[in-house]
Amino acid sequence: MVTVGFSIFFVLCTIVISVETRNRPPLITDDNNRMRNKAADLPLMMGEINHESELEFQSECVFGNEVRELGSQWIPNLGVPFGILYCMKCECVPRKRRIVAKVQCRNIQKECPEPTCSEPVLKKGRCCKTCPGDTNNPDNIQDIDIIPQHSLDDDEKTTKHYAALLTGRSSLVLKNDYLRLAPHDRNRNRIIATGRFTFHKKNLHYSFVFSERAQRPRSLQFIDSEGNILEEFTLLAQGAPLGFYQKTTRKVCGSWKRIARSYRRLMKQEKMYAALVWGTKDYTEFTISGLITKYNLLSKEMFSSLMEPASNSDPDVMNGSGGTAFISVSTAISPSVYISVIFNGLFEIDEIADVPLNISLYLDKKKIVQKQVIVKKPSNELNLVETSAVLENQEMRALTRGKLGIGISSVKNPVNMRLYGHIVSKATCEIFQTLLSSNSEHNTHSITGLGWFYMTNEGSLNYNVQVDNLKTEIPNSVTLIDLSTKRRTELEDLTPYFEDGWANGTIDKISPKFLEPFYFGNIGINISIERTSTVIKGKLVSKLVADARNSKAPILLKRENYTLPSTAVGLAWISVDHDCHIHYDVSLNGLGFNNRRLDLILDLLPMLAPGAPVIRKHLDSFVGNQVENSPVEGLSKEELGRLDTGVGFIKIMEDKSPLLSARVTQLQIPIDCRPPYNADNNVPPILFDKSDDQPSVECFYEGKFYQEEAQWTSSSDPCTMCFCQNGKEKCDTMTCPEPDCEESLRVKAPGECCPSCPSKTVITESQIQRNLPHTCLFNGKPYSKGSKFHPFLIPTGFDTCTECVCDPVDLEIKCVRNRNERTCCRNCSRQEFDVNESYPADEMPIRNPNLNRKIEKATKSADQIMKEGGCRNLNNPHKPHENGSEYFPYIDSLGFYKCVTCKCNRGNQTCKRNPCDKAACEKMFKARKNKKLQTGEHCCSVKDCRRFKHKKNHRTTVPTS
């Protein structure tokens, strides 16, 4: 055993692991590899752990369920039975040229230095023996580089923003191994672009605006100064939804998840480039690139402009040039604008220092402002100039409505060397959202809601406000107010556009006084409810568009646990990318706590029906009021198919108790991520596989699911009873027994299926005063005095050979069996009791094969049995089952049904069908062969005994019992 254990350990400690990272390269098609690859279970993946194929392309590593940064080191923990391998060192290392992260592990035992003392010590959790004072050992690894999912980084805390101008004059020389460039640059339309970059929770969010003449680029690359591709994203995937915001604004939006620390350092040092690629997967038409640089004014940007060579400029001189402007506005004292322009291509060869340029603003092609700036050291690639100007109120309104243009030109050659562009909303992909709730005690109906807004390129405000649980209340006002002033000035009134719980629309003429508080998070929504004096409100906050927020609209999470405050509300964004990975962003408010551990759950159903089986996926655990992530483990195509059909529910749970929930609708699933549906069945076929080998355990009937062995009454016909067996529903409609009175005297009580004769029993006044029952109870269903019916029997249906009656005196169900079964039905079973006698339904004598005696009556009182953990007896509430007792369920035509055994355990009754073993099946086959088999006599059917059925030409002697 020692030798074997040492051999396993030696193999594990000498293997070199080279495992690719999470996402495959967007430009490489691999339909069979949709899920994220992991170096998870090293012992299980031993045969395939050394592959070097570049199916993955991302600058991070996944080891087990942990995401590791590029450059991180750690000691691997392989779990049971291997545990922690202290003599193995793992690193997340890059490849050359195209920097793809991979996990690489090696044995460090041979790297241990010689001890400096005579008696070195092997400390716990270490690989090398050390002496006092030794610190420089290879096993001294600080395992701190697991990427946290919900933490802030230094870049976000200091609110640093970056921008890039992408033109044909970039100094970047591409070193793309697989990219086959055209023989010459085919950017004939002089396409340019500008990008904005913002850090958020270790993610780099990017936004791009490109020339209107161009179609959407195929991919985005992040490249270092040596031409190595650090990361690449597919922007135009076949069959992948583009996203509502990106379609409307023509922007490119996304995020680089968990960017490595070394790459963040490159950005701070301004040594990283962004490149947009046009063309196909195998052929690149052209690329444009630009250096990513930090600019202070970006944090206050409100308007942007993509500045291209003017129509009347010299195309040869201005080839490959361009610019971008970011503009902020102040209305505090006088309407003013602050302008920063980054550009290239406006200098002649002899202009090497202190070159003057003109910056102009235009309204209807008329110049309204001109400022001269000086460029001290002109650059062929990138230049920055800044200026400010005071505008009239009319000009400021034109600015907010997208009617102003901006130009920058050479003073020496202003006609041939000039850039111009329209001023539009800021280039950053950004929406503004809020949760609506109230702290008022008058909010008894738990009125909540949400809102989300965004600016169009033309300067219009698109708004969406949803209010839930209004019932009969009508909002008195729906207004947008300025929270930055003490007066809470009303800026916009949405009340005329509110209908059926929604206010949707576009405001074309935005006031300049609205945009400044809007972009800086000082706009609130107030909704006052008429009659109840309730006011629900919320504050708009900025959210960058990427991943989960790339979907069409957010989902309102409603209160499911009514022990929560009436203010509890949530908002969820959910999307699925072209690699079939789900993304989510959930915000909560009004829970009454923010320090408890909560779970984000996704429930997937086959269809919206009561009792439907649920696939439950645990997406995340978090503490606080917000969670945003994408799980390492993705969803299967079948699970994504349920989301596509709108039968998924997102839930916030605590200790398996749901707090908030919502149905996931309008989710766009990429075509390649959808399961292959049957054209004749809009339900995934995997959900209804009722083959003989693997029968379903649920039955679907009249829009509702029922568990195996369940019994129910049809909702369309109260006289039809059904039960679920082997995943298939079986139903039978009652045939009524003949009453003992003339037809003219027969009556039919409400809720009963069969007519009966009027009862001659007189109800005394004392019975009325004591509130005694006037009906019989059978299987939870009441029957009037004297009414007759046939009992329902599984699996034969209504047993017409057994007639039951509600005794008008004892108010007990009594059943009588017809002696001659052939005269009543063909599917009745022979019974093992005297058929010519009449008994109360709960005391019918049955010959028990084990006891061979009548069922004994309980000696304890009903109350005492129930207090001791007994179970209710639906046939006779006065005679419950004792705790711990096992018994056969009672069926009136059979008595105690010995095909099923039930057990009472502390008030809970559990029943299971008795197994069909070989002896029971042989007995059934023998009776069937002798033609003496009566349906219902044996618990096993031919289908149940198929595996024991004798083969042809094979004779077996069955011993007689």
Coordinates of all heavy atoms in Angstrom, one line a residue, residues 11-55:
V11 N 3.8 10.4 -9.5 CA 3.3 10.7 -10.9 C 2.7 12.1 -10.9 O 2.9 12.9 -11.7 CB 2.3 9.7 -11.3 CG1 1.5 10.1 -12.6 CG2 3.0 8.3 -11.6
L12 N 1.9 12.4 -9.8 CA 1.2 13.7 -9.7 C 2.2 14.8 -9.6 O 2.0 15.9 -10.0 CB 0.2 13.7 -8.5 CG -1.0 12.8 -8.7 CD1 -1.8 12.8 -7.4 CD2 -1.8 13.3 -9.9
C13 N 3.3 14.6 -8.9 CA 4.3 15.6 -8.6 C 5.2 15.9 -9.7 O 6.0 16.9 -9.7 CB 5.1 15.3 -7.3 SG 4.1 15.4 -5.8
T14 N 5.3 15.0 -10.7 CA 6.2 15.2 -11.8 C 5.5 15.6 -13.1 O 6.2 15.9 -14.1 CB 7.0 13.9 -12.1 OG1 6.1 12.8 -12.3 CG2 7.9 13.6 -10.9
I15 N 4.2 15.6 -13.1 CA 3.4 15.9 -14.4 C 3.4 17.4 -14.6 O 3.4 18.2 -13.6 CB 2.0 15.4 -14.3 CG1 1.4 15.5 -15.7 CG2 1.2 16.1 -13.3 CD1 0.0 14.8 -15.8
V16 N 3.6 17.8 -15.8 CA 3.5 19.2 -16.2 C 2.1 19.5 -16.8 O 1.7 18.8 -17.7 CB 4.6 19.6 -17.2 CG1 4.4 21.1 -17.6 CG2 5.9 19.4 -16.5
I17 N 1.3 20.4 -16.2 CA 0.0 20.6 -16.6 C 0.0 21.8 -17.5 O 0.5 22.9 -17.2 CB -0.9 20.9 -15.4 CG1 -0.7 19.8 -14.3 CG2 -2.4 20.9 -15.8 CD1 -1.3 20.1 -13.0
S18 N -0.6 21.6 -18.7 CA -0.8 22.7 -19.6 C -2.2 22.8 -20.1 O -2.6 22.2 -21.0 CB 0.1 22.6 -20.8 OG 0.0 23.6 -21.7
V19 N -3.0 23.5 -19.3 CA -4.5 23.5 -19.5 C -4.9 24.9 -20.0 O -4.5 25.9 -19.5 CB -5.2 23.2 -18.2 CG1 -6.7 23.2 -18.5 CG2 -4.8 21.8 -17.8
E20 N -5.7 24.9 -21.1 CA -6.1 26.2 -21.6 C -7.2 26.9 -20.8 O -7.6 26.3 -19.8 CB -6.8 25.9 -23.0 CG -5.9 25.1 -23.9 CD -4.5 25.7 -24.1 OE1 -4.4 26.9 -24.1 OE2 -3.5 24.9 -24.2
T21 N -7.5 28.1 -21.1 CA -8.4 28.9 -20.3 C -9.8 28.8 -20.8 O -10.2 28.0 -21.6 CB -7.8 30.3 -20.3 OG1 -7.7 30.7 -21.7 CG2 -6.5 30.4 -19.6
R22 N -10.6 29.8 -20.3 CA -12.0 29.6 -20.3 C -12.7 29.7 -21.6 O -13.5 28.8 -22.0 CB -12.7 30.6 -19.3 CG -12.4 30.3 -17.9 CD -12.4 31.5 -17.0 NE -13.7 32.2 -17.1 CZ -14.6 32.2 -16.2 NH1 -14.5 31.4 -15.2 NH2 -15.7 32.9 -16.3
N23 N -12.5 30.7 -22.4 CA -13.3 30.9 -23.6 C -12.4 30.5 -24.9 O -11.3 30.8 -24.9 CB -13.7 32.3 -23.8 CG -14.8 32.7 -22.7 OD1 -15.5 31.8 -22.3 ND2 -14.8 33.9 -22.3
R24 N -13.0 29.9 -25.8 CA -12.3 29.6 -27.1 C -12.2 30.8 -27.9 O -12.9 31.8 -27.7 CB -13.1 28.5 -27.9 CG -14.5 29.0 -28.3 CD -15.1 28.0 -29.2 NE -16.4 28.4 -29.5 CZ -16.7 29.3 -30.4 NH1 -15.8 29.9 -31.1 NH2 -18.0 29.6 -30.7
P25 N -11.1 30.9 -28.8 CA -10.9 32.1 -29.6 C -12.2 32.4 -30.4 O -12.7 31.5 -31.1 CB -9.7 31.8 -30.4 CG -9.6 30.3 -30.4 CD -10.2 29.9 -29.1
P26 N -12.6 33.6 -30.4 CA -13.8 33.9 -31.2 C -13.7 33.7 -32.7 O -14.7 33.5 -33.3 CB -14.1 35.4 -30.9 CG -13.4 35.7 -29.6 CD -12.2 34.8 -29.7
L27 N -12.5 33.8 -33.2 CA -12.3 33.6 -34.6 C -12.0 32.2 -35.1 O -11.8 31.9 -36.2 CB -11.1 34.5 -35.1 CG -11.3 36.0 -34.8 CD1 -10.1 36.8 -35.3 CD2 -12.6 36.5 -35.3
I28 N -12.0 31.3 -34.1 CA -11.9 29.8 -34.4 C -13.2 29.2 -34.2 O -13.7 29.2 -33.1 CB -10.8 29.2 -33.6 CG1 -9.4 29.9 -34.0 CG2 -10.7 27.7 -33.9 CD1 -8.3 29.3 -33.2
T29 N -13.8 28.5 -35.2 CA -15.1 27.8 -35.0 C -14.8 26.4 -34.4 O -14.1 25.7 -35.0 CB -15.8 27.7 -36.3 OG1 -15.9 29.1 -36.8 CG2 -17.1 27.1 -36.2
D30 N -15.5 26.1 -33.4 CA -15.5 24.8 -32.7 C -16.8 24.5 -32.2 O -17.1 24.8 -31.0 CB -14.4 24.8 -31.7 CG -14.3 23.4 -31.0 OD1 -14.8 22.4 -31.6 OD2 -13.7 23.3 -29.9
D31 N -17.7 23.9 -33.0 CA -19.1 23.7 -32.5 C -19.2 22.7 -31.4 O -20.1 22.6 -30.7 CB -19.9 23.2 -33.7 CG -20.0 24.3 -34.8 OD1 -19.9 25.5 -34.4 OD2 -20.2 24.0 -35.9
N32 N -18.1 21.8 -31.3 CA -18.2 20.8 -30.3 C -17.7 21.2 -28.9 O -17.6 20.4 -28.0 CB -17.5 19.5 -30.8 CG -18.1 18.9 -32.0 OD1 -19.3 19.0 -32.1 ND2 -17.3 18.4 -32.9
N33 N -17.1 22.4 -28.8 CA -16.6 22.8 -27.6 C -17.2 24.1 -27.2 O -16.6 25.2 -27.4 CB -15.0 23.0 -27.7 CG -14.4 23.3 -26.4 OD1 -15.0 23.1 -25.4 ND2 -13.2 23.8 -26.5
R34 N -18.3 24.1 -26.6 CA -19.0 25.3 -26.2 C -18.8 25.6 -24.7 O -19.0 26.8 -24.4 CB -20.5 25.1 -26.4 CG -20.9 25.2 -27.9 CD -20.9 26.6 -28.4 NE -21.3 26.7 -29.8 CZ -21.2 27.8 -30.5 NH1 -20.7 28.9 -29.9 NH2 -21.6 27.8 -31.7
M35 N -18.5 24.7 -23.9 CA -18.4 24.9 -22.5 C -16.9 25.3 -22.1 O -16.0 25.0 -22.8 CB -18.8 23.7 -21.6 CG -20.2 23.2 -22.1 SD -21.4 24.4 -22.4 CE -22.1 24.7 -20.8
R36 N -16.8 26.0 -21.0 CA -15.5 26.5 -20.6 C -14.7 25.4 -20.1 O -15.1 24.5 -19.3 CB -15.7 27.5 -19.5 CG -16.5 28.7 -19.9 CD -16.7 29.7 -18.8 NE -17.5 30.8 -19.3 CZ -17.9 31.8 -18.5 NH1 -17.5 31.9 -17.3 NH2 -18.6 32.8 -19.0
N37 N -13.4 25.3 -20.6 CA -12.5 24.2 -20.2 C -11.9 24.5 -18.9 O -11.6 25.7 -18.6 CB -11.4 24.1 -21.3 CG -10.8 22.7 -21.3 OD1 -11.2 21.9 -20.5 ND2 -9.9 22.5 -22.3
K38 N -11.7 23.5 -18.1 CA -11.1 23.7 -16.7 C -10.0 22.7 -16.4 O -10.1 21.6 -16.9 CB -12.2 23.6 -15.7 CG -13.4 24.6 -15.8 CD -14.2 24.6 -14.6 CE -14.7 23.2 -14.3 NZ -15.5 23.1 -13.1
A39 N -9.1 23.1 -15.6 CA -8.1 22.2 -15.1 C -8.6 21.7 -13.7 O -8.1 22.0 -12.7 CB -6.8 22.8 -14.9
A40 N -9.8 21.1 -13.7 CA -10.5 20.9 -12.5 C -10.1 19.7 -11.7 O -9.4 19.8 -10.7 CB -12.0 20.8 -12.8
D41 N -10.4 18.5 -12.3 CA -10.1 17.3 -11.6 C -8.8 16.6 -12.2 O -8.9 15.8 -13.1 CB -11.3 16.3 -11.6 CG -12.5 17.0 -11.0 OD1 -12.4 17.6 -10.0 OD2 -13.6 16.9 -11.7
L42 N -7.7 17.0 -11.7 CA -6.4 16.6 -12.3 C -6.3 15.1 -12.4 O -5.9 14.5 -13.4 CB -5.3 17.2 -11.5 CG -3.9 16.9 -12.1 CD1 -3.1 18.2 -12.1 CD2 -3.1 15.9 -11.3
P43 N -6.7 14.3 -11.3 CA -6.5 12.8 -11.5 C -7.4 12.3 -12.6 O -7.1 11.3 -13.2 CB -6.9 12.3 -10.1 CG -6.7 13.5 -9.2 CD -7.1 14.7 -10.0
L44 N -8.6 12.8 -12.7 CA -9.5 12.3 -13.7 C -9.2 12.7 -15.1 O -9.6 12.1 -16.1 CB -11.0 12.8 -13.4 CG -11.5 12.4 -12.0 CD1 -12.9 13.0 -11.8 CD2 -11.5 10.9 -11.9
M45 N -8.4 13.8 -15.3 CA -8.1 14.3 -16.6 C -6.6 14.0 -17.0 O -6.1 14.6 -17.9 CB -8.2 15.8 -16.6 CG -9.7 16.3 -16.4 SD -9.8 18.1 -16.3 CE -9.3 18.5 -17.9
M46 N -6.1 12.9 -16.3 CA -4.7 12.6 -16.5 C -4.3 12.4 -18.0 O -3.3 12.8 -18.5 CB -4.3 11.4 -15.7 CG -2.8 11.2 -15.6 SD -2.1 12.4 -14.4 CE -2.8 11.8 -12.9
G47 N -5.2 11.7 -18.7 CA -5.0 11.3 -20.1 C -5.0 12.5 -21.0 O -4.5 12.4 -22.1
E48 N -5.6 13.6 -20.7 CA -5.8 14.7 -21.6 C -5.3 16.0 -21.0 O -5.6 17.1 -21.5 CB -7.2 14.9 -22.0 CG -8.2 15.0 -20.8 CD -9.6 15.0 -21.2 OE1 -10.2 13.9 -21.4 OE2 -10.2 16.1 -21.4
I49 N -4.4 16.0 -20.0 CA -4.0 17.2 -19.3 C -2.9 17.9 -20.0 O -2.7 19.1 -19.8 CB -3.6 16.8 -17.9 CG1 -3.8 18.1 -17.0 CG2 -2.2 16.4 -17.8 CD1 -5.2 18.4 -16.7
N50 N -2.2 17.3 -21.0 CA -1.0 17.9 -21.6 C -1.3 18.4 -23.0 O -0.4 18.6 -23.7 CB 0.1 16.9 -21.7 CG 0.8 16.7 -20.3 OD1 1.1 17.7 -19.7 ND2 1.0 15.4 -19.9
H51 N -2.5 18.6 -23.4 CA -2.8 19.1 -24.7 C -2.4 20.5 -24.9 O -2.4 21.3 -24.0 CB -4.3 18.9 -25.1 CG -5.2 19.8 -24.3 ND1 -5.4 21.1 -24.6 CD2 -5.9 19.5 -23.1 CE1 -6.3 21.6 -23.7 NE2 -6.5 20.7 -22.8
E52 N -2.0 20.8 -26.1 CA -1.4 22.2 -26.4 C -2.3 22.9 -27.4 O -1.9 24.0 -27.9 CB 0.0 22.1 -26.9 CG 1.0 21.5 -25.9 CD 1.3 22.6 -24.8 OE1 1.1 23.8 -25.1 OE2 1.7 22.2 -23.7
S53 N -3.4 22.4 -27.8 CA -4.2 23.0 -28.9 C -4.8 24.3 -28.3 O -5.3 24.4 -27.2 CB -5.3 22.1 -29.4 OG -6.2 21.8 -28.3
E54 N -4.9 25.4 -29.1 CA -5.4 26.6 -28.7 C -6.9 26.7 -28.9 O -7.3 27.5 -29.7 CB -4.6 27.8 -29.4 CG -3.2 27.9 -29.0 CD -2.6 29.2 -29.5 OE1 -3.3 30.0 -30.0 OE2 -1.3 29.3 -29.4
L55 N -7.6 25.9 -28.2 CA -9.1 26.0 -28.3 C -9.6 27.1 -27.4 O -10.7 27.6 -27.6 CB -9.7 24.7 -27.9 CG -9.5 23.5 -28.9 CD1 -10.1 22.3 -28.3 CD2 -10.1 23.8 -30.2

